[in-house]
Amino acid sequence: MRSLVTALVIVLACVAGLWLASVDARTDDTGIEAGLVFLIAAAFAAVRPRAAIIIAFIVGGPIPIAEAMRSGGFPAGVVALGFSVAGALVGAYVGIIARRSASSTSA
């Protein structure tokens, strides 16, 4: 069951990362996009805290890759990785705390 949940979270993170890269290519609304990167990474990492860093790179990685392919230089979208790592770490922390509080009340 755990591996199924992990696989589902990874697949959804890939879809979200590709969607965010396409949104980045079509809009100039950086603040909303940064918030989406943070929240999406946090939500997925809360579900699977052990995969937080992998989720962060999957969600935030496509944006700088797409920008590097478009511009040919050093992508400014590397900041998206920072937001995704921060979101994933916060989400993993929240997920761990939620699991511990749920297990302590049921015991």
Coordinates of all heavy atoms in Angstrom, one line a residue:
M1 N 0.8 -1.2 0.0 CA 0.0 0.0 0.0 C 0.9 1.3 0.0 O 0.6 2.2 -0.7 CB -0.9 -0.1 1.2 CG -1.8 1.1 1.3 SD -3.0 1.1 0.0 CE -4.0 2.5 0.4
R2 N 2.0 1.2 0.8 CA 2.8 2.4 0.9 C 3.5 2.7 -0.5 O 3.6 3.9 -0.8 CB 3.9 2.2 1.9 CG 3.6 2.8 3.2 CD 4.8 2.6 4.1 NE 4.2 2.6 5.4 CZ 4.9 2.6 6.5 NH1 6.2 2.7 6.5 NH2 4.4 2.6 7.7
S3 N 3.9 1.7 -1.2 CA 4.6 1.9 -2.4 C 3.6 2.4 -3.5 O 4.0 3.2 -4.3 CB 5.3 0.6 -2.9 OG 4.3 -0.4 -3.1
L4 N 2.4 2.0 -3.4 CA 1.3 2.5 -4.3 C 1.1 4.0 -4.0 O 1.0 4.8 -5.0 CB 0.0 1.7 -4.1 CG -1.1 2.2 -5.0 CD1 -0.8 2.0 -6.5 CD2 -2.4 1.5 -4.6
V5 N 1.0 4.4 -2.8 CA 0.8 5.8 -2.4 C 2.0 6.6 -2.9 O 1.9 7.7 -3.4 CB 0.6 6.0 -0.9 CG1 0.6 7.4 -0.5 CG2 -0.7 5.3 -0.5
T6 N 3.2 6.1 -2.6 CA 4.4 6.8 -3.1 C 4.5 7.0 -4.6 O 4.8 8.1 -5.1 CB 5.7 6.0 -2.6 OG1 5.6 5.9 -1.2 CG2 7.0 6.8 -3.0
A7 N 4.1 5.9 -5.3 CA 4.1 6.0 -6.8 C 3.1 7.0 -7.2 O 3.4 7.8 -8.2 CB 3.8 4.6 -7.4
L8 N 1.9 7.0 -6.6 CA 0.9 8.0 -7.0 C 1.3 9.4 -6.7 O 1.1 10.3 -7.6 CB -0.4 7.7 -6.3 CG -1.6 8.5 -6.6 CD1 -2.0 8.3 -8.1 CD2 -2.8 8.2 -5.7
V9 N 2.0 9.6 -5.6 CA 2.5 11.0 -5.2 C 3.5 11.4 -6.2 O 3.5 12.6 -6.7 CB 3.0 11.0 -3.8 CG1 3.8 12.3 -3.5 CG2 1.8 10.9 -2.8
I10 N 4.4 10.5 -6.6 CA 5.5 10.9 -7.5 C 4.9 11.2 -8.9 O 5.3 12.2 -9.6 CB 6.5 9.7 -7.6 CG1 7.2 9.5 -6.3 CG2 7.5 10.0 -8.7 CD1 8.1 10.7 -5.8
V11 N 4.0 10.4 -9.4 CA 3.3 10.7 -10.7 C 2.6 12.0 -10.6 O 2.7 12.8 -11.6 CB 2.4 9.5 -11.1 CG1 1.5 9.9 -12.2 CG2 3.2 8.3 -11.4
L12 N 1.9 12.3 -9.6 CA 1.2 13.6 -9.5 C 2.1 14.7 -9.4 O 1.9 15.8 -9.9 CB 0.2 13.5 -8.3 CG -1.0 12.6 -8.5 CD1 -1.8 12.6 -7.2 CD2 -1.9 13.1 -9.6
A13 N 3.3 14.5 -8.7 CA 4.3 15.6 -8.6 C 4.9 15.9 -10.0 O 5.1 17.0 -10.3 CB 5.4 15.2 -7.6
C14 N 5.1 14.8 -10.8 CA 5.6 15.0 -12.2 C 4.6 15.8 -13.0 O 4.9 16.8 -13.7 CB 5.8 13.7 -12.9 SG 7.2 12.8 -12.3
V15 N 3.3 15.5 -12.9 CA 2.3 16.2 -13.6 C 2.2 17.6 -13.2 O 2.1 18.6 -14.0 CB 0.9 15.5 -13.5 CG1 -0.2 16.3 -14.0 CG2 0.9 14.1 -14.1
A16 N 2.3 17.9 -11.9 CA 2.2 19.2 -11.3 C 3.4 20.0 -11.8 O 3.3 21.2 -12.1 CB 2.1 19.2 -9.8
G17 N 4.6 19.4 -11.8 CA 5.8 20.1 -12.2 C 5.8 20.5 -13.7 O 6.1 21.6 -14.0
L18 N 5.3 19.6 -14.5 CA 5.2 20.0 -15.9 C 4.1 21.0 -16.1 O 4.3 21.9 -17.0 CB 4.8 18.7 -16.7 CG 6.0 17.7 -16.8 CD1 5.5 16.4 -17.4 CD2 7.2 18.2 -17.5
W19 N 3.0 21.0 -15.4 CA 2.0 22.0 -15.5 C 2.5 23.4 -15.0 O 2.3 24.4 -15.7 CB 0.8 21.6 -14.7 CG -0.3 22.6 -14.7 CD1 -1.2 22.9 -15.7 CD2 -0.6 23.6 -13.6 NE1 -2.0 24.0 -15.3 CE2 -1.7 24.4 -14.1 CE3 -0.1 23.8 -12.3 CZ2 -2.2 25.4 -13.3 CZ3 -0.7 24.8 -11.6 CH2 -1.7 25.6 -12.0
L20 N 3.3 23.4 -14.0 CA 3.8 24.6 -13.5 C 4.8 25.2 -14.5 O 4.9 26.4 -14.7 CB 4.5 24.4 -12.1 CG 3.6 24.2 -10.9 CD1 4.3 23.7 -9.7 CD2 2.9 25.5 -10.6
A21 N 5.6 24.3 -15.2 CA 6.5 24.8 -16.2 C 5.8 25.4 -17.4 O 6.2 26.5 -17.9 CB 7.4 23.7 -16.7
S22 N 4.6 24.9 -17.7 CA 3.8 25.4 -18.8 C 3.2 26.7 -18.4 O 3.1 27.7 -19.2 CB 2.8 24.4 -19.3 OG 1.8 24.3 -18.4
V23 N 2.8 26.8 -17.1 CA 2.2 28.1 -16.6 C 3.3 29.2 -16.6 O 3.0 30.3 -17.0 CB 1.6 27.9 -15.2 CG1 1.3 29.2 -14.5 CG2 0.4 27.0 -15.3
D24 N 4.5 28.8 -16.2 CA 5.6 29.7 -16.2 C 5.9 30.3 -17.5 O 6.3 31.5 -17.7 CB 6.9 29.0 -15.6 CG 8.0 30.0 -15.5 OD1 7.9 31.0 -14.8 OD2 9.1 29.7 -16.1
A25 N 5.8 29.5 -18.6 CA 6.0 29.9 -19.9 C 5.0 30.9 -20.4 O 5.3 31.7 -21.3 CB 6.1 28.7 -20.9
R26 N 3.8 30.9 -19.9 CA 2.7 31.7 -20.4 C 2.3 32.9 -19.5 O 1.5 33.7 -19.9 CB 1.4 30.8 -20.5 CG 1.6 29.8 -21.7 CD 0.3 29.0 -21.8 NE 0.4 28.0 -20.8 CZ -0.7 27.5 -20.1 NH1 -1.9 27.9 -20.4 NH2 -0.5 26.5 -19.2
T27 N 2.9 33.1 -18.4 CA 2.5 34.2 -17.5 C 3.7 34.9 -16.9 O 4.8 34.4 -16.8 CB 1.6 33.6 -16.4 OG1 1.1 34.7 -15.6 CG2 2.3 32.7 -15.5
D28 N 3.4 36.1 -16.4 CA 4.4 36.9 -15.7 C 4.1 37.0 -14.2 O 4.7 37.7 -13.5 CB 4.5 38.3 -16.3 CG 5.5 38.3 -17.4 OD1 6.2 37.4 -17.6 OD2 5.5 39.4 -18.1
D29 N 3.1 36.3 -13.7 CA 2.6 36.4 -12.4 C 3.5 35.5 -11.5 O 3.1 34.4 -11.1 CB 1.2 36.0 -12.3 CG 0.5 36.6 -11.1 OD1 1.2 37.3 -10.3 OD2 -0.7 36.5 -11.0
T30 N 4.7 36.0 -11.1 CA 5.6 35.2 -10.4 C 5.2 34.9 -9.0 O 5.5 33.8 -8.5 CB 7.0 35.9 -10.4 OG1 7.3 36.3 -11.7 CG2 8.1 35.1 -9.8
G31 N 4.6 35.8 -8.3 CA 4.2 35.6 -6.9 C 3.2 34.4 -6.8 O 3.4 33.6 -5.9
I32 N 2.2 34.4 -7.6 CA 1.2 33.3 -7.5 C 1.9 32.0 -7.9 O 1.6 31.0 -7.3 CB 0.0 33.6 -8.4 CG1 -0.8 34.8 -7.8 CG2 -0.9 32.4 -8.6 CD1 -1.9 35.2 -8.6
E33 N 2.7 32.0 -8.9 CA 3.4 30.8 -9.3 C 4.3 30.3 -8.2 O 4.4 29.1 -7.9 CB 4.2 31.0 -10.6 CG 4.8 29.7 -11.1 CD 5.5 30.0 -12.4 OE1 5.5 31.0 -13.0 OE2 6.2 29.0 -12.8
A34 N 5.0 31.2 -7.5 CA 5.9 30.7 -6.4 C 5.1 30.2 -5.3 O 5.5 29.2 -4.7 CB 6.7 31.9 -5.9
G35 N 3.9 30.7 -5.0 CA 3.0 30.2 -4.0 C 2.5 28.8 -4.4 O 2.4 27.9 -3.5
L36 N 2.2 28.6 -5.6 CA 1.7 27.3 -6.1 C 2.8 26.3 -6.0 O 2.6 25.2 -5.5 CB 1.3 27.4 -7.5 CG -0.1 28.0 -7.8 CD1 -0.4 28.2 -9.3 CD2 -1.2 27.2 -7.2
V37 N 4.0 26.6 -6.3 CA 5.2 25.7 -6.2 C 5.3 25.3 -4.8 O 5.5 24.1 -4.4 CB 6.5 26.3 -6.8 CG1 7.7 25.5 -6.4 CG2 6.4 26.5 -8.3
F38 N 5.3 26.3 -3.8 CA 5.5 26.0 -2.4 C 4.3 25.1 -1.9 O 4.6 24.1 -1.2 CB 5.5 27.3 -1.6 CG 5.7 27.2 -0.2 CD1 7.0 27.2 0.3 CD2 4.6 27.0 0.7 CE1 7.2 27.0 1.7 CE2 4.8 26.9 2.1 CZ 6.1 26.9 2.6
L39 N 3.1 25.4 -2.2 CA 1.9 24.7 -1.7 C 1.8 23.3 -2.3 O 1.5 22.3 -1.6 CB 0.7 25.5 -1.9 CG 0.5 26.8 -1.1 CD1 -0.8 27.5 -1.6 CD2 0.4 26.4 0.4
I40 N 2.1 23.2 -3.6 CA 2.0 21.8 -4.2 C 3.1 20.9 -3.6 O 2.8 19.8 -3.2 CB 2.1 21.9 -5.7 CG1 0.8 22.6 -6.3 CG2 2.4 20.6 -6.3 CD1 0.9 22.9 -7.7
A41 N 4.3 21.4 -3.5 CA 5.4 20.6 -2.9 C 5.1 20.3 -1.4 O 5.3 19.1 -1.0 CB 6.7 21.3 -3.0
A42 N 4.5 21.2 -0.7 CA 4.2 21.0 0.7 C 3.1 19.9 0.8 O 3.1 19.0 1.7 CB 3.7 22.3 1.4
A43 N 2.1 20.0 0.0 CA 0.9 19.0 0.0 C 1.4 17.6 -0.3 O 1.1 16.7 0.5 CB -0.2 19.4 -0.9
F44 N 2.2 17.4 -1.3 CA 2.7 16.1 -1.6 C 3.7 15.6 -0.6 O 3.6 14.4 -0.3 CB 3.3 16.1 -3.0 CG 2.3 16.2 -4.1 CD1 2.6 17.0 -5.2 CD2 1.1 15.6 -4.1 CE1 1.7 17.1 -6.3 CE2 0.2 15.7 -5.1 CZ 0.5 16.5 -6.2
A45 N 4.5 16.4 0.0 CA 5.4 16.0 1.0 C 4.7 15.7 2.3 O 5.2 14.8 3.0 CB 6.5 17.1 1.2
A46 N 3.6 16.3 2.6 CA 2.9 16.0 3.8 C 2.3 14.6 3.7 O 2.2 13.8 4.7 CB 1.7 17.0 4.0
V47 N 2.0 14.1 2.5 CA 1.4 12.8 2.3 C 2.6 11.7 2.4 O 2.4 10.7 3.0 CB 0.7 12.7 0.9 CG1 0.3 11.2 0.6 CG2 -0.5 13.6 0.8
R48 N 3.7 12.1 1.8 CA 4.9 11.1 1.9 C 6.1 11.9 2.4 O 7.0 12.3 1.6 CB 5.2 10.5 0.5 CG 4.1 9.7 0.0 CD 3.8 8.5 0.8 NE 5.0 7.6 1.0 CZ 5.1 6.9 2.1 NH1 4.2 6.9 3.1 NH2 6.2 6.1 2.3
P49 N 6.3 12.1 3.7 CA 7.4 12.9 4.2 C 8.8 12.3 3.9 O 9.7 13.1 3.7 CB 7.1 12.8 5.7 CG 5.7 12.5 5.9 CD 5.3 11.7 4.7
R50 N 8.9 11.0 3.7 CA 10.2 10.5 3.4 C 10.7 10.8 2.0 O 11.9 10.7 1.7 CB 10.2 8.9 3.6 CG 10.1 8.5 5.0 CD 10.2 7.0 5.2 NE 10.0 6.7 6.6 CZ 10.2 5.5 7.0 NH1 10.4 4.5 6.2 NH2 10.0 5.2 8.3
A51 N 9.8 11.1 1.1 CA 10.2 11.5 -0.2 C 10.2 13.0 -0.5 O 10.0 13.4 -1.6 CB 9.2 10.8 -1.2
A52 N 10.3 13.8 0.6 CA 10.2 15.2 0.5 C 11.2 15.8 -0.5 O 10.8 16.7 -1.3 CB 10.4 15.9 1.8
I53 N 12.4 15.4 -0.5 CA 13.4 16.0 -1.3 C 13.2 15.6 -2.8 O 13.3 16.5 -3.7 CB 14.9 15.7 -0.9 CG1 15.1 16.3 0.5 CG2 15.9 16.1 -1.8 CD1 15.0 17.8 0.6
I54 N 12.9 14.4 -3.0 CA 12.5 13.9 -4.4 C 11.4 14.7 -4.9 O 11.4 15.2 -6.1 CB 12.3 12.4 -4.4 CG1 13.5 11.7 -4.0 CG2 11.7 11.9 -5.7 CD1 13.3 10.2 -3.7
I55 N 10.3 14.9 -4.1 CA 9.2 15.6 -4.5 C 9.5 17.1 -4.8 O 9.1 17.6 -5.8 CB 8.1 15.6 -3.4 CG1 7.5 14.2 -3.3 CG2 7.0 16.6 -3.6 CD1 6.6 13.9 -2.1
A56 N 10.4 17.7 -4.0 CA 10.8 19.1 -4.2 C 11.5 19.2 -5.6 O 11.2 20.2 -6.3 CB 11.8 19.5 -3.1
F57 N 12.4 18.3 -6.0 CA 13.1 18.4 -7.2 C 12.1 18.1 -8.4 O 12.3 18.6 -9.5 CB 14.3 17.6 -7.3 CG 15.4 18.2 -6.5 CD1 15.9 17.6 -5.3 CD2 16.0 19.4 -6.9 CE1 16.9 18.2 -4.5 CE2 17.0 20.0 -6.1 CZ 17.5 19.4 -5.0
I58 N 11.2 17.2 -8.2 CA 10.3 16.9 -9.3 C 9.3 18.0 -9.5 O 9.0 18.3 -10.7 CB 9.5 15.6 -9.0 CG1 10.5 14.4 -9.1 CG2 8.4 15.3 -9.9 CD1 9.9 13.1 -8.6
V59 N 8.8 18.6 -8.5 CA 7.9 19.8 -8.7 C 8.6 21.0 -9.2 O 8.1 21.7 -10.1 CB 7.1 20.1 -7.3 CG1 6.3 21.3 -7.4 CG2 6.2 18.9 -7.0
G60 N 9.7 21.3 -8.6 CA 10.4 22.6 -9.0 C 11.4 22.5 -10.1 O 11.8 23.5 -10.7
G61 N 11.8 21.3 -10.5 CA 12.8 21.1 -11.5 C 12.4 21.5 -12.9 O 13.3 22.0 -13.6
P62 N 11.2 21.2 -13.4 CA 10.9 21.5 -14.8 C 11.0 23.0 -15.1 O 11.2 23.3 -16.3 CB 9.5 21.0 -15.0 CG 9.4 19.9 -14.0 CD 10.2 20.3 -12.8
I63 N 10.8 23.9 -14.2 CA 10.8 25.3 -14.5 C 12.1 25.8 -14.9 O 12.3 26.4 -16.0 CB 10.2 26.1 -13.3 CG1 8.7 25.8 -13.1 CG2 10.4 27.6 -13.5 CD1 8.1 26.3 -11.8
P64 N 13.2 25.6 -14.1 CA 14.5 26.0 -14.6 C 15.0 25.3 -15.9 O 15.7 25.8 -16.7 CB 15.5 25.8 -13.5 CG 14.8 24.9 -12.5 CD 13.3 25.1 -12.8
I65 N 14.6 24.0 -16.0 CA 15.0 23.3 -17.2 C 14.3 23.9 -18.5 O 15.0 24.1 -19.5 CB 14.6 21.8 -17.1 CG1 15.5 21.1 -16.0 CG2 14.7 21.1 -18.5 CD1 15.0 19.7 -15.7
A66 N 13.0 24.2 -18.4 CA 12.3 24.9 -19.5 C 12.9 26.2 -19.8 O 13.1 26.6 -21.0 CB 10.9 25.0 -19.2
E67 N 13.2 27.0 -18.7 CA 13.8 28.3 -19.0 C 15.2 28.3 -19.6 O 15.6 29.1 -20.4 CB 13.9 29.1 -17.7 CG 12.5 29.7 -17.3 CD 12.6 30.7 -16.1 OE1 13.8 31.1 -15.8 OE2 11.6 31.0 -15.6
A68 N 16.0 27.3 -19.2 CA 17.3 27.1 -19.8 C 17.2 26.7 -21.3 O 18.0 27.2 -22.1 CB 18.1 26.0 -19.0
M69 N 16.2 25.9 -21.6 CA 16.1 25.6 -23.0 C 15.6 26.7 -23.8 O 15.9 26.9 -25.0 CB 15.1 24.4 -23.1 CG 15.7 23.1 -22.6 SD 14.7 21.6 -22.5 CE 13.3 21.9 -23.7
R70 N 14.8 27.6 -23.2 CA 14.3 28.8 -23.9 C 15.3 29.9 -24.1 O 15.5 30.4 -25.2 CB 13.1 29.4 -23.2 CG 11.8 28.8 -23.5 CD 10.6 29.7 -23.1 NE 10.8 30.1 -21.7 CZ 10.1 29.5 -20.7 NH1 9.3 28.6 -20.9 NH2 10.3 30.0 -19.4
S71 N 16.1 30.2 -23.0 CA 17.0 31.3 -23.1 C 18.4 30.9 -23.4 O 19.2 31.7 -24.0 CB 17.0 32.0 -21.7 OG 17.5 31.2 -20.7
G72 N 18.8 29.7 -23.1 CA 20.1 29.2 -23.4 C 21.2 29.6 -22.4 O 22.3 29.2 -22.5
G73 N 20.8 30.4 -21.4 CA 21.7 30.8 -20.4 C 21.4 30.2 -19.1 O 20.6 29.3 -19.0
F74 N 21.9 30.9 -18.0 CA 21.6 30.5 -16.6 C 20.1 30.8 -16.3 O 19.8 32.0 -16.4 CB 22.5 31.1 -15.6 CG 22.4 30.6 -14.3 CD1 22.9 29.3 -13.9 CD2 21.7 31.4 -13.3 CE1 22.7 28.9 -12.6 CE2 21.6 30.9 -12.0 CZ 22.1 29.6 -11.7
P75 N 19.3 29.9 -16.0 CA 17.9 30.2 -15.8 C 17.6 30.9 -14.5 O 18.2 30.5 -13.4 CB 17.2 28.8 -15.8 CG 18.3 27.9 -15.4 CD 19.6 28.5 -15.9
A76 N 16.8 31.9 -14.5 CA 16.3 32.6 -13.3 C 15.3 31.7 -12.5 O 15.1 32.0 -11.4 CB 15.7 33.9 -13.6
G77 N 14.8 30.7 -13.2 CA 13.8 29.8 -12.5 C 14.4 28.9 -11.5 O 13.7 28.1 -10.9
V78 N 15.7 29.0 -11.2 CA 16.3 28.2 -10.2 C 15.7 28.5 -8.8 O 15.7 27.7 -7.9 CB 17.9 28.4 -10.2 CG1 18.5 27.7 -9.0 CG2 18.5 27.8 -11.5
V79 N 15.2 29.7 -8.7 CA 14.6 30.1 -7.5 C 13.4 29.2 -7.2 O 13.0 29.0 -6.0 CB 14.1 31.6 -7.6 CG1 13.4 32.0 -6.3 CG2 15.3 32.5 -7.8
A80 N 12.7 28.7 -8.2 CA 11.6 27.8 -8.1 C 12.0 26.5 -7.3 O 11.2 26.0 -6.5 CB 11.0 27.4 -9.4
L81 N 13.3 26.1 -7.4 CA 13.8 25.0 -6.7 C 13.8 25.3 -5.2 O 13.5 24.5 -4.3 CB 15.1 24.5 -7.2 CG 15.1 23.7 -8.5 CD1 16.6 23.5 -8.9 CD2 14.4 22.4 -8.3
G82 N 14.2 26.6 -4.9 CA 14.2 27.0 -3.5 C 12.9 27.0 -2.9 O 12.7 26.5 -1.7
F83 N 11.9 27.5 -3.6 CA 10.5 27.5 -3.1 C 10.0 26.0 -2.9 O 9.3 25.7 -2.0 CB 9.6 28.3 -4.0 CG 9.6 29.7 -3.8 CD1 10.4 30.5 -4.6 CD2 9.0 30.3 -2.7 CE1 10.5 31.9 -4.4 CE2 9.1 31.7 -2.5 CZ 9.8 32.5 -3.3
S84 N 10.3 25.2 -3.9 CA 9.8 23.8 -3.8 C 10.5 23.0 -2.6 O 9.8 22.2 -2.0 CB 10.0 23.1 -5.1 OG 11.3 22.9 -5.4
V85 N 11.8 23.3 -2.4 CA 12.5 22.6 -1.3 C 11.9 23.1 0.0 O 11.6 22.3 0.9 CB 14.0 22.8 -1.4 CG1 14.7 22.4 -0.1 CG2 14.6 22.1 -2.6
A86 N 11.7 24.4 0.1 CA 11.1 24.9 1.4 C 9.7 24.4 1.6 O 9.4 24.0 2.7 CB 11.1 26.5 1.3
G87 N 8.9 24.4 0.6 CA 7.6 23.8 0.7 C 7.6 22.4 1.1 O 6.8 21.9 1.9
A88 N 8.5 21.6 0.4 CA 8.5 20.2 0.7 C 9.0 19.9 2.2 O 8.4 19.0 2.8 CB 9.4 19.5 -0.3
L89 N 9.9 20.7 2.7 CA 10.4 20.5 4.0 C 9.3 20.9 5.0 O 9.1 20.2 6.0 CB 11.7 21.3 4.3 CG 12.9 20.8 3.5 CD1 14.1 21.7 3.8 CD2 13.2 19.3 3.8
V90 N 8.6 22.0 4.8 CA 7.5 22.3 5.7 C 6.4 21.3 5.6 O 5.8 20.9 6.6 CB 6.9 23.7 5.3 CG1 5.6 24.0 6.0 CG2 8.0 24.8 5.6
G91 N 6.1 20.8 4.4 CA 5.0 19.8 4.3 C 5.4 18.5 5.0 O 4.6 17.8 5.6
A92 N 6.7 18.1 4.8 CA 7.1 16.9 5.5 C 7.0 17.0 7.0 O 6.6 16.1 7.7 CB 8.6 16.6 5.1
Y93 N 7.4 18.2 7.5 CA 7.3 18.4 9.0 C 5.9 18.3 9.4 O 5.5 17.7 10.4 CB 7.9 19.8 9.3 CG 7.8 20.1 10.8 CD1 8.7 19.5 11.7 CD2 6.9 21.1 11.2 CE1 8.6 19.8 13.0 CE2 6.9 21.4 12.6 CZ 7.7 20.8 13.5 OH 7.7 21.1 14.8
V94 N 5.0 19.0 8.7 CA 3.5 18.9 9.0 C 3.0 17.5 8.9 O 2.2 17.0 9.8 CB 2.7 19.9 8.1 CG1 1.2 19.6 8.3 CG2 3.1 21.3 8.4
G95 N 3.4 16.8 7.9 CA 3.0 15.4 7.8 C 3.5 14.5 8.9 O 2.7 13.6 9.4
I96 N 4.7 14.7 9.3 CA 5.3 13.9 10.5 C 4.5 14.2 11.7 O 4.1 13.3 12.5 CB 6.8 14.2 10.6 CG1 7.5 13.5 9.4 CG2 7.3 13.6 11.9 CD1 9.0 13.9 9.3
I97 N 4.3 15.5 12.0 CA 3.6 15.9 13.2 C 2.1 15.4 13.2 O 1.6 14.9 14.2 CB 3.6 17.5 13.3 CG1 5.0 18.0 13.5 CG2 2.7 17.9 14.5 CD1 5.7 17.5 14.8
A98 N 1.5 15.4 12.0 CA 0.1 14.9 11.9 C 0.1 13.4 12.2 O -0.8 12.9 12.9 CB -0.5 15.2 10.6
R99 N 1.0 12.7 11.7 CA 1.1 11.2 11.9 C 1.3 10.9 13.3 O 0.7 10.0 13.9 CB 2.1 10.6 11.0 CG 1.7 10.5 9.6 CD 2.9 10.1 8.7 NE 2.7 10.4 7.3 CZ 2.4 9.5 6.4 NH1 2.3 8.2 6.8 NH2 2.2 9.8 5.2
R100 N 2.2 11.6 14.0 CA 2.5 11.4 15.4 C 1.3 11.7 16.3 O 1.1 11.0 17.2 CB 3.8 12.2 15.8 CG 5.0 11.6 15.3 CD 6.2 12.3 15.9 NE 7.4 11.7 15.3 CZ 8.6 12.3 15.4 NH1 8.8 13.4 16.1 NH2 9.7 11.7 14.9
S101 N 0.7 12.8 16.0 CA -0.5 13.1 16.8 C -1.6 12.1 16.6 O -2.4 11.8 17.5 CB -0.9 14.6 16.6 OG -1.5 14.7 15.3
A102 N -1.8 11.7 15.4 CA -2.8 10.7 15.1 C -2.5 9.3 15.8 O -3.5 8.7 16.3 CB -3.0 10.5 13.6
S103 N -1.3 8.9 15.8 CA -0.9 7.7 16.4 C -1.0 7.8 18.0 O -1.3 6.8 18.6 CB 0.4 7.2 16.0 OG 1.5 8.0 16.4
S104 N -0.7 8.9 18.5 CA -0.7 9.1 20.0 C -2.1 9.1 20.5 O -2.4 8.7 21.6 CB 0.1 10.3 20.4 OG -0.6 11.5 20.0
T105 N -3.1 9.6 19.7 CA -4.5 9.7 20.2 C -5.2 8.3 20.0 O -6.1 8.0 20.8 CB -5.3 10.8 19.4 OG1 -5.2 10.5 18.0 CG2 -4.7 12.1 19.7
S106 N -4.7 7.5 19.1 CA -5.3 6.2 18.9 C -4.8 5.1 19.8 O -5.3 4.1 19.9 CB -5.2 5.8 17.4 OG -3.8 5.6 17.1
A107 N -3.6 5.4 20.4 CA -3.0 4.4 21.2 C -3.5 4.3 22.6 O -4.3 4.8 23.2 CB -1.5 4.6 21.3

